[in-house]
Amino acid sequence: MKKVLFSPIIAAVLVLIIVVAIPNQWIEKMIPKSRISQAATELNPFMFQGKYVQQKMLEDHQYLPIYGSSELARLDRFHPSNYFKEAGGDFTPFLIGRGGTESLIHFLNFAEQTGQLKGKKMVFVLSPQWFQPKGTDESHFVPNYSSLQGYDLAFNKNIDPALKKKAIERLLKFSPVQNDPFLSVMYRAEITNNPWTKRESAWIRPFALAYRKLLIKKDLYYSLVGGIPHKRDLNPQVKNKSWDELAAQANHLGEKKSTNNHFYVINSQYNKIHKMVPSLKDNKIGASYGESPEYQDFQLVLSLLKQAGAEPLFISVPVNGPWYDYTGFPKVGRTAYYERIKKQIETEGFQIADFSHHEYDPYFMKDTIHIGWKGWVYADKAIQDFYEGKKIDVEVVRSN
């Protein structure tokens, strides 16, 4: 009876030992080369919370990483992933982010890749909604936090110590870090002169290092298995079109798909909220995106990218003007954000495609907060100009 009972346990332990003992190099050799191209549009959290796939992507000049949040999942014919594929672009967009992926999460991701960012062109899509008065919260941080990236930051000696301390002080405010018995101690040791905390950190460091190695191996196995493939239906109707033609096409498509409201919101999304719409009128009076802890979090991103020598283009997405007016969100509270974020980016010497003047441009936005249709056309042109080293013109879409 005992033999029957313990045999599965012994077998499971043996399998676990074998899995852990397999050298990382062996696992890497088994990962198919197609994994990187497969991951480019999957928006799989295992990919951007890990490191292997992103490292390989950054090594390949074919890919242009695009960092952002939930807007990346709003795929249509004008989305960069479809447009540059169908129009025969010189690069393949690689999407990194999902809903709730805000500045602090992106900082952890970039910190893990600092050695590969020098001279690397990338695109970073900003959302005004990140800049809430209280900044990011647990509901946004927790699902997107990566333990591997958190531990890699603890062992990272390449980041400016002052920048690292600022990031750690911020990260210690969130439960995944606070509740980690190894990481919380190591982080606190970085920002304190308390000798007991530093001794405790030195004692647990070997255990933390062993755990980090397990996290690395876990990431390799996830990369080996891969995510659930998502078939993306490519739309060839953007081929051989001038920017003017694309903008007209986007305008027509938006008009066709937004017929049940006067906010230029896609019908399918408006159907989900229309019962609540009356209760939302003037419920944002006095609101503003002008003051938020998110600006300090975003500065961590800017400082790290500058230290790493990266070449980012920031895309400043507007809000949906008619909708924000309806909710009573003051224009001054929106303008404060547009002006502050633009100044913050340009102060660091980075480029920004500022589309804030498109608040009232029909079909520039797909719903109440996400860029779409015509907005992607303008973004595509800015991305292409940026990639080719041209001056970015965001005032009008012109024919080639």
Side-chain angles (χ1 to χ4, degrees):
M1 189 68 174
K2 290 183 178 179
K3 183 178 180 181
V4 175
L5 177 64
F6 285 104
S7 291
I9 297 176
I10 294 172
V13 170
L14 289 174
V15 170
L16 178 61
I17 291 173
I18 293 171
V19 167
V20 172
I22 294 176
N24 288 357
Q25 296 87 338
W26 292 11
I27 305 172
E28 289 184 25
K29 289 180 180 179
M30 292 187 286
I31 299 173
K33 293 182 179 180
S34 61
R35 182 68 69 239
I36 313 304
S37 60
Q38 175 187 327
T41 58
E42 273 191 342
L43 294 170
N44 189 331
F46 292 135
M47 175 274 296
F48 56 76
Q49 290 177 339
K51 63 191 300 183
Y52 174 81
V53 171
Q54 289 195 68
Q55 283 181 342
K56 293 300 180 182
M57 176 271 294
L58 290 170
E59 291 171 2
D60 193 332
H61 296 296
Q62 171 189 349
Y63 295 102
L64 177 71
I66 301 181
Y67 302 87
S69 52
S70 55
E71 72 285 331
L72 298 182
R74 268 58 183 182
L75 295 167
D76 58 38
R77 72 180 70 172
F78 309 105
H79 188 287
S81 291
N82 184 77
Y83 173 73
F84 289 106
K85 175 71 174 179
E86 289 298 303
D90 295 327
F91 58 86
T92 299
F94 194 101
L95 310 179
I96 304 169
R98 64 171 179 172
T101 311
E102 300 178 1
S103 300
L104 203 55
I105 296 296
H106 283 300
F107 171 84
L108 279 171
N109 193 18
F110 288 134
E112 191 171 53
Q113 315 290 346
T114 47
Q116 296 177 287
L117 296 180
K118 186 174 178 61
K120 184 68 178 179
K121 286 182 179 292
M122 63 178 65
V123 176
F124 193 108
V125 184
L126 285 161
S127 296
Q129 296 77 24
W130 294 1
F131 295 80
Q132 300 291 337
K134 294 183 179 180
T136 191
D137 56 21
E138 290 274 311
S139 67
H140 291 88
F141 182 86
V142 174
N144 295 297
Y145 170 72
S146 164
S147 293
L148 173 56
Q149 292 173 1
Y151 273 81
D152 277 352
L153 179 64
F155 288 98
N156 194 321
K157 296 181 180 180
N158 299 320
I159 297 176
D160 176 70
L163 178 61
K164 185 177 178 180
K165 286 182 178 180
K166 288 180 181 179
I168 284 174
E169 288 174 350
R170 184 77 171 111
L171 288 164
L172 279 168
K173 297 182 183 296
F174 295 93
S175 61
V177 176
Q178 294 172 355
N179 298 333
D180 189 312
F182 294 158
L183 195 60
S184 59
V185 173
M186 293 178 67
Y187 274 9
R188 289 200 302 271
E190 291 266 4
I191 60 175
T192 184
N193 292 320
N194 186 308
W196 168 248
T197 302
K198 291 190 176 294
R199 282 196 298 269
E200 186 181 8
S201 176
W203 183 79
I204 68 170
R205 194 174 181 86
F207 300 98
L209 183 60
Y211 181 59
R212 174 174 171 252
K213 289 180 178 179
L214 286 176
L215 291 173
I216 292 172
K217 193 173 291 289
K218 176 183 175 183
D219 176 50
L220 289 174
Y221 279 118
Y222 275 132
S223 300
L224 173 62
V225 175
I228 301 174
H230 293 283
K231 181 176 176 55
R232 305 296 187 189
D233 294 324
L234 297 175
N235 190 311
Q237 295 184 55
V238 296
K239 284 183 179 179
N240 303 318
K241 296 290 190 299
S242 70
W243 295 114
D244 280 345
E245 289 171 329
L246 287 170
Q249 188 181 126
N251 197 72
H252 175 72
L253 187 61
E255 186 176 21
K256 182 179 177 181
K257 291 183 174 291
S258 306
T259 59
N260 64 356
N261 65 94
H262 62 280
F263 302 112
Y264 308 114
V265 170
I266 189 170
N267 290 345
S268 58
Q269 181 62 30
Y270 192 75
N271 287 337
K272 296 177 182 178
I273 66 171
H274 78 278
K275 291 182 179 179
M276 299 185 295
V277 169
S279 66
L280 298 177
K281 183 172 177 57
D282 293 332
N283 75 328
K284 294 292 184 181
I285 291 176
S288 175
Y289 292 143
E291 296 293 334
S292 171
E294 188 70 24
Y295 287 101
Q296 287 72 49
D297 293 346
F298 182 56
Q299 186 60 48
L300 294 174
V301 171
L302 293 174
S303 298
L304 183 60
L305 292 178
K306 188 171 185 178
Q307 179 194 326
E311 297 182 16
L313 167 68
F314 293 92
I315 294 181
S316 179
V317 176
V319 303
N320 182 322
W323 174 257
Y324 268 61
D325 287 347
Y326 180 81
T327 63
F329 198 115
K331 288 185 180 180
V332 66
R334 289 129 63 173
T335 302
Y337 159 76
Y338 297 136
E339 293 178 349
R340 183 172 179 178
I341 206 69
K342 187 172 188 290
K343 181 179 180 181
Q344 192 173 3
I345 291 168
E346 292 181 338
T347 296
E348 298 299 333
F350 295 137
Q351 297 186 71
I352 179 173
D354 180 7
F355 296 119
S356 58
H357 54 291
H358 285 279
E359 277 195 356
Y360 296 97
D361 191 348
Y363 318 118
F364 198 92
M365 307 296 287
K366 199 167 201 173
D367 52 36
T368 59
I369 60 174
H370 296 109
I371 190 172
W373 301 311
K374 195 190 297 184
W376 279 131
V377 174
Y378 277 75
D380 289 341
K381 183 180 186 299
I383 291 170
Q384 182 166 304
D385 288 346
F386 165 71
Y387 188 82
E388 295 176 352
K390 299 178 182 177
K391 181 180 179 181
I392 297 170
D393 181 5
V394 299
E395 292 305 316
V396 292
V397 170
R398 295 191 179 96
S399 300
N400 290 342

